[in-house]
Amino acid sequence: MSETSKTPLLDTVRSPADLRGLDVKDLRQFADELRAETVDAVSVTGGHLGAGLGVVELTTAIHYLFDTPDDILIWDVGHQCYPHKILTERRDRIRTIRQGGGLYGFTKRTESVYDPFGAAHSSTSISAGLGFAVSGELQKKEGRNVIAVIGDGAMSAGMAYEAMNNAAVTGSRLIVILNDNDMSIAPPVGGLSAYLSRLISSRSFRSVRQLTMMLAEKFPRQIERAAQRAEEYARGLLTGGTLFEELGLYYVGPIDGHNLDHLIPVLKNVRDDPQGGPILVHCVTKKGKGYEPAESSADRYHGVGKFDVVTGELYKAPSNAPSYTKVFANALVKEAQKDDRIVAITAAMPSGTGLDLFGKAFPARTFDVGIAEQHAVTFAGGLAADGMKPFCAIYSTFLQRGYDQIVHDVAIQKLPVRFAMDRAGQVGADGQTHAGSFDIAYLGCLPGFVLMACSDESELVHMVATAVAIDDRPCGFRYPRGEGVGLDMPEEGVPLEIGKGRIVREGNSVAILCYGQRLQDSLTAADELAARGWSTTIADARFAKPLDEDLIRRLAREHEVLITVEEGSVGGFGSFVAQFMSHDGLLDRGTLKFRPMVQADRFFDQDKPEKQVEAAGLSTRHIVRTALTALGQDIGEIDLTA
């Protein structure tokens, strides 16, 4: 070990087994070093920082007291798992996190035995943990602990409460740790709270409580219930845990999640509790804890790019093009200035969706419903039913969580809810769980929907205006993560004619009909095909539903090859086009060669977006290859590797 090492204790710990070899008095120093290593690693790679900093002491205490990986530890969402990864035999790779071929930014089962359940969407940990707990009972895995750490807003989702309710019914042994990092439900914590938590979690208290309940059972039913109510009420007054007790979990807390002198004895009591059943330990933490730039930041460095450790200053490459997210937000603000019925809804992602900008302009018309996509959709439906114009801004991948509500509460009733789907297509470092790959297919199958995809930032402005104008049915428009292509922006949006695309370039041999953000690659492909003597028409579909049938007929009849391109799964735009052409008889003549291009039928790991597009088979060279193959060209002699 180097004499100049800034992390001498951490350097001796490769795994939780090594950590458990330390003296308890050394844990404070260890946690400080783990925090410093987390900050330094994320400064190199970028990623989720604030949530991880908030659970450094909790991570240390859990791995010190529980026999991981034999004991099951599940992190909700997973973006708070960076300290956990450093501690579980992955420190040597932590500076590859969210990079191509590197560690995943969330928990992933195939990455480590210390990640028993993959997560990247919120509020799943208690359900999964209960699954492990019940499985352990059925398989007689005696003595195994199951710990689910949930927090960072995840308790705002209904799924967490569904799981707690079921856990109470099963009575299975499950430890739920609520990482409460926004002080929203926590009374003040301190010495008295810590004492009460140790007392309530102790074996003696549990035994006395059990004895009291047993004695009460000997009395008439009304006395038994009164005794139970009195005990619960008294504990509720002292600790604030009445809600969780009503759900059927034994509540312990709140405790200071950064004070190891509080954490260790309470978690030890919970670990050694002989009573069984689900227990909830309420820890109050501070997001971004221990790193001043994160603590003072509005979002506590929830997600950051690379930064300077000393100053906290973010490194940002200069760009002349605005992000699609900001283009959407600014366009919606302009529309809302003209129409006071426009309202905006986000599910705990105001900055991620750009609605923080809308909220500054129209605070009374902006609604952050928490991590509750199902509620967000039906809430928007209610607004639309009463004449408002709701824009539900939710990432494509997160909107999947509200699909039942989209069908039953919006589509069937033909309510004009506008779904703004950010992060369409591949998303780079956030990887497979955050990629917007399926919205074209899962919304396109619903009757009455209008679906749009922008090919550039200027088109997005017009699609926002189009969505405002659609007042008789639901609609959705998708746009990618990242920056636009650098076009001049219109002063204001102009509603597009519903179901009408546009010709971008005229040709006569090959037709490429693009839906969404791969238009620029299609134009480059047309240049390469032209260099080889093939004249190419490029069309921007704009709409997947309704289709521009006249445009498709023209492209099919006037060209030898018709290719559709979309950054989405099979079952989307290309399938809609094929369905139409089949029934319209356009495929009956033997001269047209139709080739739908969709992303490869698999999930894609994190990487640079351009590499993900390449892996998906949707890059310029793939478009050129598809066209030449359809034309019967021998591509073996043509260099398409650039």
Side-chain angles (χ1 to χ4, degrees), residues 218-257:
K218 305 300 182 182
F219 293 97
R221 181 67 180 172
Q222 62 269 29
I223 297 178
E224 174 194 351
R225 184 60 185 149
Q228 182 179 349
R229 279 291 192 183
E231 192 263 352
E232 290 176 352
Y233 181 69
R235 292 181 61 241
L237 286 177
L238 291 171
T239 67
T242 304
L243 169 64
F244 301 108
E245 289 282 336
E246 289 295 331
L247 286 169
L249 280 75
Y250 186 80
Y251 175 89
V252 177
I255 58 175
D256 184 348

Side-chain angles (χ1 to χ4, degrees), residues 229-306:
R229 279 291 192 183
E231 192 263 352
E232 290 176 352
Y233 181 69
R235 292 181 61 241
L237 286 177
L238 291 171
T239 67
T242 304
L243 169 64
F244 301 108
E245 289 282 336
E246 289 295 331
L247 286 169
L249 280 75
Y250 186 80
Y251 175 89
V252 177
I255 58 175
D256 184 348
H258 300 299
N259 191 327
L260 287 163
D261 292 334
H262 295 179
L263 278 174
I264 295 296
V266 169
L267 291 182
K268 184 175 184 299
N269 284 340
V270 169
R271 181 196 67 186
D272 298 338
D273 174 60
Q275 303 296 334
I279 300 175
L280 184 137
V281 181
H282 183 175
C283 295
V284 177
T285 64
K286 186 174 183 180
K287 195 169 182 176
K289 174 70 174 178
Y291 184 55
E292 195 280 330
E295 289 189 23
S296 60
S297 170
D299 68 349
R300 304 296 188 269
Y301 277 23
H302 173 81
V304 295
K306 300 176 184 179

Side-chain angles (χ1 to χ4, degrees), residues 23-137:
D23 192 290
V24 69
K25 64 181 177 56
D26 293 326
L27 295 185
R28 179 67 267 164
Q29 178 185 339
F30 177 85
D32 291 341
E33 293 180 11
L34 181 58
R35 176 171 281 109
E37 177 71 354
T38 302
V39 171
D40 189 75
V42 179
S43 75
V44 174
T45 64
H48 294 98
L49 180 61
L53 294 181
V55 296
V56 167
E57 288 81 8
L58 188 56
T59 303
T60 300
I62 291 172
H63 283 297
Y64 185 75
L65 290 169
F66 292 92
D67 190 22
T68 53
D70 292 333
D71 283 340
I72 301 298
L73 173 59
I74 300 174
W75 294 95
D76 206 279
V77 183
H79 61 355
Q80 47 190 333
C81 71
Y82 292 20
H84 160 79
K85 293 201 177 196
I86 293 171
L87 185 48
T88 53
E89 304 179 10
R90 287 171 278 184
R91 184 186 180 189
D92 59 340
R93 293 181 287 152
I94 195 63
R95 286 164 182 79
T96 69
I97 201 162
R98 291 165 52 90
Q99 312 298 305
L103 294 179
Y104 190 45
F106 307 91
T107 54
K108 191 174 185 179
R109 294 183 66 228
T110 56
E111 185 178 290
S112 172
V113 294
Y114 293 96
D115 294 355
F117 197 80
H121 285 193
S122 117
S123 315
T124 61
S125 62
I126 303 176
S127 297
L130 182 58
F132 276 96
V134 170
S135 173
E137 292 171 353

